[in-house]
Amino acid sequence: MTAAIDSGRRRFLGVTAALGAVAAGGLFAGWARPALAGPARMVTIGAAVTETVWALGAGDRIVAVDTTSMSPAEAQRLPKVGYMRTLAAEGVIATGATRVIADDGAGPASTLDQIRAAGIDLRMVTSATRIDQVEAAIVAVGDAIDLHDPAVALGLQVTAALAEVAEAALALPVHPSVMCLIGVGNAGLMAAGRDTAAAAVIRLAGGRNAFELSADYAPISAEAAAAMAPEVLAMPTHAIARLGGREAVLALPQLRLTPAAMAGRLIAIDSRALSGLGPSTADVATAFAADLAQVMG
């Protein structure tokens, strides 16, 4: 079985190379960025929105982002206007932006109304929570920044990359159940249910989401976690650090009786897997699949 797992890992790593995945130089190396038209100063709200605008070659027009927008690396150096679900209009207006492109989960509604009242062109786009929605989400962002045709081309490229990763997942000899978690406060935990970006990445990587009973993120108890018996736990690096490191996470009362914790199977998942599906999802899923193969080996 180990040889089969190694073969599966090599195939996933080969897919990564073939995709020209996200690297320090930017998204989708080799992507021919189009000549630009459209707004000169933009604020982007939502990780996938920001990433898509950058992938379309319009990153130099972004003047500020929300705190979920961590990719590409250049976005981290831009001013922040707050968390996407708790925005304040004053911070957005102060950027001098002429257009705001926001994930449909952004808010609150009163803030969005104030942004519109200030004369800023606010365009809401529907985010993707399933792999089959990613292409449409990319095109929606392209339409919001007046780059429809390039977005259609990028959407097709991303769809092909996602299909290749999904095909590679079928070759894996095992498809473990995975529970993806975020930390809340010092000890509270929430698990990713169905219709979340994390669940989509788990499936794309060849795993099975252990928390399909919930439609979103929900608190997880020790009894529920033990009953779901995840074989692997996944948590963003920053959450693992905040909770005291790997051993501390595995010893949490909510998790310590799960097969994953007892076997020491905890993966530090890329935070992009939790913040939205977009141009880098194939890369994120590829890396996660390789990690799954390693811990199950």
Side-chain angles (χ1 to χ4, degrees), residues 103-203:
D103 181 290
D104 60 357
S110 58
T111 293
L112 302 180
D113 289 341
Q114 291 175 54
I115 292 171
R116 294 187 185 97
I120 298 173
D121 183 5
L122 173 62
R123 302 193 179 191
M124 307 295 291
V125 296
T126 302
S127 59
T129 57
R130 301 197 314 264
I131 295 302
D132 62 359
Q133 297 172 337
V134 174
E135 185 175 333
I138 289 172
V139 173
V141 173
D143 288 345
I145 61 173
D146 308 320
L147 288 173
H148 174 80
D149 289 347
V152 168
L154 178 61
L156 291 172
Q157 181 183 6
V158 171
T159 294
L162 292 169
E164 193 167 357
V165 176
E167 181 183 358
L170 295 176
L172 294 177
V174 292
H175 301 277
S177 63
V178 180
M179 183 174 287
C180 185
L181 303 149
I182 55 175
V184 180
N186 292 327
L189 292 176
M190 297 183 76
R194 63 183 184 277
D195 299 328
T196 61
V201 169
I202 289 169
R203 289 191 295 270

Side-chain angles (χ1 to χ4, degrees), residues 227-281:
M228 293 171 189
E231 298 170 273
V232 178
L233 301 171
M235 184 178 285
T237 301
H238 65 84
I240 294 173
R242 187 172 65 244
L243 291 171
R246 286 181 53 85
E247 296 306 315
V249 170
L250 293 171
L252 286 172
Q254 302 97 314
L255 303 176
R256 61 186 180 84
L257 296 180
T258 63
M262 290 188 285
R265 298 191 187 115
L266 172 63
I267 295 176
I269 192 170
D270 192 318
S271 61
R272 289 176 293 178
L274 284 72
S275 57
L277 303 175
S280 69
T281 298

Side-chain angles (χ1 to χ4, degrees), residues 39-46 49-50 53 61-66 69 78-82 87 91-103 115 120-123 145:
R41 293 177 63 83
M42 294 186 289
V43 172
T44 53
I45 308 296
V49 171
T50 298
V53 171
R61 299 190 177 193
I62 301 175
V63 296
V65 298
D66 74 310
S69 297
L78 290 172
K80 303 296 186 293
V81 295
L87 298 171
V92 176
I93 295 168
T95 66
T98 57
R99 186 174 295 180
V100 173
I101 317 300
D103 181 290
I115 292 171
I120 298 173
D121 183 5
L122 173 62
R123 302 193 179 191
I145 61 173

